[in-house]
């Protein structure tokens, strides 16, 4: 007889009744080959004693096993594993997780075979990140208040039911007002889809605009996750130079004479990673080219809300009268990265298609969070938060740049950014950033190693240094460590 | 002079300073062609009087306009729109949203050109849905308590920062316990990715497994959003018959002799829409075929937690020893559709690739919600909720089926489902479901018209009738209306 006492471990606190637990264990023993077709099962009396449960429970388990078609009762002989079960092999060893060369059980093409680099960001006490907000400033208490208020107010609780793939109607309306007030961007709520952060906007736009081998123009340096998204859908990335005035639109114009371009991805405000702003003249020329060549402009304006010198440039979308611009923005960036709310604006038919695709991806967003954000826009909490954090970030930028200038003058070249949450820092070529990051981590400071910003045509020895998430004493401590390890 | 008084509308309560508002309006007037290159702007004195603001504000606005490169100051003449601006045409008419035949501004291929059918579900007082949970039962207060507790507890507020694309480590651990207890499914948290509902699991699996023209086997009748997702990635759907014992695996075996199949999508528990359960023998045979032919089985088990006769069949994933099964489940379905939490389980390399793709789609899930769900699994709230709703749904199923039997015997054919939240109802061919749904809506009852369940090879005059979201009096009222309109 098999060692049932150790094979059959039951849990009296589990949410499944005892007889079902016993039945399920027998099924596993049968399917993994421990019990073979035609094997006899122990009598209910014997098993009950062995594993210390009531005999009736064992009987119920056997009845269940028989009714599910795993076993049969033969009169005056006992209960047997069904003789005509498809033959089952002995159990395999556990999944080989370490040896990646082992053949997979099914055939698929891994487009992501590069392992995700382990992220040390949360492992260190201090971190100079790539330009993330300080989540300690996020008005979480106010958000919780709105959550409670919504969850109590609505009888029928529609906010818990399936909703619109375009997102909460309330938030779309509130965003219309907000975008009109802050950006002179006047759209109807039919032209907005609420996304999960700006990343989902980029993904949806890429899926809808690009077919394999289509060309998309991007900056020589560019936001890596946008590049990856365009590459994922099979598009061809055409790199356009970026200089102090942003994307080189004359170069793009020349490119258009030899290549058909489906879309241009641009971050006109503070180009990622180098934070340059595209000049007005180039913006107008880009719009003109888009109209002539019928390409789409994907305008990623994730950073709009952070301007320290009160000079927000109007987005391309606000001055586009031919509907060539797909405008992508984020509230996650302003509030808290893990509360993923962004938006994409475009021609109605495009936004409707995006909503259909979104339906296939994840049906819809979190209506509770969307409605709560809408209420915080309406009652001014969001605006108060923006103003408050803008003021704090400006102080942090100033202090950060002062320290960089006084303490790192020899090794870091940078421009004071007039917006955004990070300083693009060119390090002296002698400095090995990978080693610097490793040494810093040993001393409790996370700092990037510059790898994320490199691509096949951009290889600066630089990185974005985020100042927004560090308060004064943290900043002094963090840059103190960096100074030591350089 | 232009009618500046009406053109320049300022808002003293807007979060943007007055001079930036004025500047932005001028930019819009320039870019939409109202102001042309070399046009003169009104003097600051005149404009200030016209629109009723301080003259210095107008001066600041003009300075901003000049510094942004839109205008130039010519000594002793005034301020002029820059003469060398790229020529801009007169403003277009507003976006033509109604006429779909108008040429789009940019070139893209709309794979979703069928308009989304308008959803009347929330418009009626009463609804017989496709089998949704009653969100009024969801323990929202407990969820709010966990939200508050998390938002207060963690200094540094990591739950608001960027997190893991695989989802909250806490929730993945809690799910390991839950899956082991309820389904005998023993996996490590590395094999789990938290998704937004089961739909995201289907989407990720489809993107990773299928290339254009690959074959995937699905039921003759099938979950329409799964079909749409596979079609979206360009896969070929091969339809396999479904009978009273679930998917016809002998048919599949025959199919495999003539077609290469990349994956089989199956809902073995309560097949959608017809709610049949795949027999044990067929399950084992399917696993055997998968091993031989190296295809993946996408097991959609969204419905596992709803069994009224205490006979949960073990998932395929629990008895699969060759790692052929990708297992997809949902908590949204059990809790509330708008709180989108699901999971996908598979070989570690596959789950890692899914996490990479998810990073491109929306980076990550909502850590706050994920952690709160984890705490509700750990402290037993989730289990209490499952038990409580199961008891209520069983009563509702019984009443619903009794009424169907006594009042609709002539017109509806159905089996009492031993699980799930809906009854698959075959209507008498004489009954026009589209007309029935229209008539019902006029009387305040939403009911489906059967369209969603049809496909190129399945055309039953039937629908799923959800009983779970209706309490006793609502159910009686709803079926009363239905009786009247039939």
């Amino acid at each position: 007889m098999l060692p049932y006492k150790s094979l059959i471990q039951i849990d009296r606190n589990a949410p499944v009744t005892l007889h079902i637990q016993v039945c399920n264990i027998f099924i596993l023993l049968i399917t993994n080959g421990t019990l073979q077709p035609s094997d006899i099962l122990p009598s209910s009396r014997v098993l009950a004693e062995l594993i210390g449960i009531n005999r009736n429970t064992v009987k119920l388990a056997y009845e269940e096993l028989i009714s599910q078609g795993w076993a049969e009762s033969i009169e005056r002989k006992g209960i047997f594993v069904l003789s005509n079960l498809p033959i089952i092999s002995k159990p395999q060893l556990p999944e080989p997780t370490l040896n990646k060369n082992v053949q997979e059980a099914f055939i698929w093409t891994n487009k992501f075979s590069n392992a995700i680099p382990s992220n040390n960001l949360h492992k260190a006490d201090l971190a100079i990140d790539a330009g993330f907000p300080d989540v300690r400033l996020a008005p979480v208490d106010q958000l919780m208040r709105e959550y409670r208020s919504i969850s109590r107010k609505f009888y029928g609780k529609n906010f818990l039911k399936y909703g619109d793939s375009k997102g909460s109607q309330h938030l779309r309306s509130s965003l219309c007002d907000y975008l009109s007030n802050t950006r002179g961007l006047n759209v109807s709520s039919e032209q907005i889809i609420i996304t999960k952060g700006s990343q989902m906007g980029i993904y949806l736009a890429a899926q809808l605009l690009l077919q394999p081998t289509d060309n998309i123009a991007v900056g020589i340096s560019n936001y890596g996750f946008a590049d990856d998204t365009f590459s994922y859908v099979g598009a061809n990335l055409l790199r356009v130079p970026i200089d102090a005035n942003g994307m080189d639109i004359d170069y793009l114009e020349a490119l258009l004479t030899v290549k058909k371009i489906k879309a241009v991805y641009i971050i006109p405000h503070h180009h990622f990673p180098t934070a340059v702003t595209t000049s007005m003249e180039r913006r107008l020329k880009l719009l003109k080219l888009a109209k002539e060549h019928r390409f789409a402009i994907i305008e990623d304006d994730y950073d709009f809300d952070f301007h320290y010198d009160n000079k927000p440039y109007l987005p391309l979308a606000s001055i586009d009268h031919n509907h060539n611009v797909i405008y992508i923005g984020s509230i996650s960036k302003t509030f808290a990265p893990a509360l993923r709310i962004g938006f994409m604006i475009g021609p109605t038919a495009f936004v409707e298609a995006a909503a259909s695709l979104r339906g296939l991806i994840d049906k819809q967003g979190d209506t509770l969070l969307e409605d709560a954000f809408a209420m915080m826009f309406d009652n001014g909490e969001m605006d108060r938060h923006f103003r408050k954090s803008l003021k704090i970030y400006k102080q942090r930028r100033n202090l950060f740049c002062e320290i960089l200038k006084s303490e790192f003058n020899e090794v870091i070249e940078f421009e004071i950014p007039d917006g955004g949450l990070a300083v693009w820092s060119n390090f002296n070529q002698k400095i090995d950033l990978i080693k610097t990051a490793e040494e810093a981590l040993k001393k409790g400071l996370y700092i990037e190693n510059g790898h994320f910003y490199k691509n096949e045509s951009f290889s600066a020895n630089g990185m974005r240094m985020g100042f927004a998430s560090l308060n004064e004493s943290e900043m002094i401590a963090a840059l103190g460590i960096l100074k030591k390890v350089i």
Side-chain angles (χ1 to χ4, degrees), chain A:
Chain A
M1 196 168 68
L2 293 171
Y4 286 108
K5 199 167 171 174
S6 66
L7 287 175
I8 300 183
Q9 304 277 352
I10 55 170
D11 174 2
R12 291 181 190 274
N13 298 317
V16 178
T17 59
L18 288 186
H19 79 274
I20 294 291
Q21 288 188 47
V22 174
C23 167
N24 283 347
I25 292 166
F26 272 106
I27 296 174
L28 294 177
L29 294 175
I30 294 168
T31 60
N32 73 17
T34 309
L35 280 167
Q36 290 284 319
S38 303
D39 277 1
I40 189 167
L41 304 187
S43 77
S44 57
R45 189 186 49 76
V46 169
L47 189 66
E49 262 178 32
L50 262 176
I51 62 177
I53 60 171
N54 191 295
R55 190 173 164 188
N56 286 326
T57 307
V58 178
K59 281 187 179 165
L60 278 174
Y62 284 172
E63 274 172 30
E64 183 63 37
L65 208 55
I66 293 165
S67 89
Q68 285 197 26
W70 297 96
E72 59 190 333
S73 171
I74 300 181
E75 222 171 325
R76 270 176 293 176
K77 287 195 171 164
I79 315 264
F80 294 81
V81 178
L82 221 62
S83 56
N84 60 353
L85 283 182
I87 283 120
I88 292 163
S89 56
K90 284 277 172 190
Q92 276 206 344
L93 291 173
E95 193 209 10
T97 50
L98 294 174
N99 185 349
K100 300 266 181 183
N101 296 321
V102 167
Q103 205 186 28
E104 314 251 5
F106 50 82
I107 298 161
W108 62 295
T109 316
N110 192 350
K111 293 190 190 173
F112 299 96
S113 45
N114 295 334
I116 307 172
S118 72
N119 188 342
N120 295 317
L121 179 54
H122 295 335
K123 288 182 192 156
D125 293 336
L126 281 170
I128 298 177
D129 56 41
F132 303 153
D134 188 341
V135 295
R136 295 169 297 190
L137 302 178
V140 175
D141 288 344
Q142 286 86 326
L143 179 68
M144 291 297 139
R145 201 161 58 213
E146 300 305 340
Y147 272 17
R148 281 199 300 281
S149 137
I150 294 170
S151 68
R152 277 176 197 163
K153 199 154 69 187
F154 295 111
Y155 178 78
K157 302 210 185 300
N158 277 337
F159 71 93
L160 292 175
K161 294 182 186 168
Y162 285 117
D164 192 333
S165 295
K166 277 187 172 178
S168 145
Q169 179 58 48
H170 186 174
L171 181 55
R172 284 186 286 142
S173 302
S174 302
L175 273 177
C176 285
D177 294 342
Y178 164 73
L179 294 171
S180 171
N181 282 336
T182 55
R183 294 155 168 80
L185 182 51
N186 296 306
V187 292
S188 77
S189 65
E190 292 310 297
Q191 290 169 264
I192 302 185
I193 176 173
I194 307 295
T195 58
K196 291 203 43 189
S198 51
Q199 184 64 40
M200 187 180 254
I202 297 171
Y203 183 83
L204 292 172
Q207 284 278 348
L208 294 176
L209 287 171
L210 302 169
Q211 311 284 338
T213 75
D214 277 351
N215 293 319
I216 179 167
V218 300
I220 272 201
S221 63
N222 194 31
Y223 181 52
F225 287 115
D227 287 346
D228 290 349
T229 306
F230 304 136
S231 298
Y232 177 74
V233 300
N236 230 346
L237 272 57
L238 303 179
R239 302 264 178 205
V240 177
I242 303 280
D243 60 28
N245 290 317
M247 188 176 266
D248 183 342
I249 305 300
D250 289 336
Y251 182 96
L252 177 71
E253 188 176 28
L255 200 58
L256 281 161
T257 61
V258 289
K259 295 267 188 190
K260 178 97 200 126
I261 288 177
K262 236 12 193 327
V264 172
Y265 172 80
I266 187 169
I267 311 165
H269 229 108
H270 311 118
H271 175 71
F272 190 103
T274 59
V276 294
T277 293
T278 302
S279 70
M280 176 278 311
E281 198 188 335
R282 290 187 177 182
R283 288 169 187 238
L284 291 180
K285 184 157 185 185
L286 176 60
L287 287 169
K288 193 163 153 274
L289 290 176
K291 187 176 174 184
E292 284 166 19
H293 295 270
R294 293 188 65 209
F295 59 78
I297 298 169
I298 305 175
E299 178 177 29
D300 186 347
D301 203 17
Y302 72 93
D303 223 6
F304 181 90
D305 290 301
F306 300 116
H307 296 285
Y308 305 119
D309 303 316
N310 209 3
K311 283 187 188 177
Y313 271 53
L314 287 185
L316 286 163
S318 304
I319 53 178
D320 165 38
H321 304 289
N322 193 51
H323 314 299
N324 284 102
V325 177
I326 294 155
Y327 182 73
I328 291 171
S330 170
I331 311 170
S332 302
K333 200 76 190 178
T334 331
F335 198 101
L339 298 175
R340 301 203 58 65
I341 300 272
F343 49 88
M344 180 169 76
I345 290 165
T348 304
F350 188 80
V351 168
E352 267 170 20
S356 295
L357 174 54
R358 205 248 159 103
L360 298 184
I361 292 174
D362 67 353
K363 292 239 186 246
Q364 63 172 85
D366 179 339
T367 314
L368 180 58
L369 178 63
E370 291 177 4
D371 282 349
F373 268 35
M375 289 171 81
M376 291 176 74
F377 272 112
D378 295 354
N379 65 21
E381 286 289 356
M382 209 57 102
D383 187 43
R384 263 190 292 284
H385 169 61
F386 289 171
R387 284 172 197 257
K388 181 184 148 195
S389 39
L390 197 64
K391 202 174 141 193
I392 293 171
Y393 293 158
K394 184 172 180 176
Q395 289 163 354
R396 291 181 181 176
R397 177 201 64 168
N398 292 346
L399 177 62
F400 195 83
C401 290
E402 274 165 30
I403 302 178
L404 280 196
K405 192 154 188 184
S406 61
E407 303 290 322
F408 296 86
N409 200 20
E410 306 284 295
V411 284
I412 298 176
E413 213 183 297
F414 70 98
E415 301 276 340
I416 298 174
D418 59 1
L421 306 182
V423 176
W424 172 251
S425 309
N426 274 306
F427 283 72
N428 188 309
Q429 290 296 341
K430 283 179 209 149
I431 291 173
D432 180 341
L433 289 180
I434 294 176
K435 230 164 108 183
T436 303
E438 282 169 3
E439 291 301 314
L441 196 59
K442 284 185 200 154
K443 295 202 186 325
L445 171 70
Y446 169 84
I447 184 163
E448 296 195 297
N449 61 18
H451 176 77
F452 180 69
Y453 306 103
K454 291 188 164 62
N455 62 45
E456 79 289 352
S457 24
F458 185 72
S459 60
N461 194 42
M463 70 174 83
R464 283 166 66 90
M465 292 172 80
F467 51 79
S469 59
L470 296 165
N471 65 30
E472 190 171 330
S473 60
E474 290 163 346
M475 197 180 283
I476 291 169
L479 290 175
I481 294 175
L482 182 62
K483 172 111 191 179
K484 263 188 215 142
V485 300
I486 278 182

